[in-house]
Amino acid sequence: MLTCIRCHLRQFVGNEDGATAIEYGLIAALIAVVIITAVSGIGTSLTTKFGDVKNALN
């Protein structure tokens, strides 16, 4: 019985699947933040350009 518990405890401690999933989640979140920042910057730039075009046409 004690040997079985030790075996399960070693498997539990050696299992790194959860840590890997968390790492992938953090990487995905970081990529999402970068994409949102880039799109936001491009949107602001496009708004300015369209405003310039509108003013030039008037």
Side-chain angles (χ1 to χ4, degrees), residues 17-53:
D17 290 340
T20 303
I22 291 171
E23 290 169 357
Y24 284 132
L26 290 173
I27 291 169
L30 180 62
I31 291 171
V33 168
V34 169
I35 290 172
I36 290 169
T37 303
V39 169
S40 176
I42 291 170
T44 303
S45 176
L46 283 176
T47 301
T48 304
K49 291 292 181 185
F50 280 122
D52 293 344
V53 170

Side-chain angles (χ1 to χ4, degrees), residues 3-19:
T3 306
C4 183
I5 293 172
R6 285 183 191 161
C7 180
H8 287 299
L9 187 60
R10 284 185 190 148
Q11 287 177 348
F12 178 75
V13 171
N15 187 357
E16 295 183 1
D17 290 340

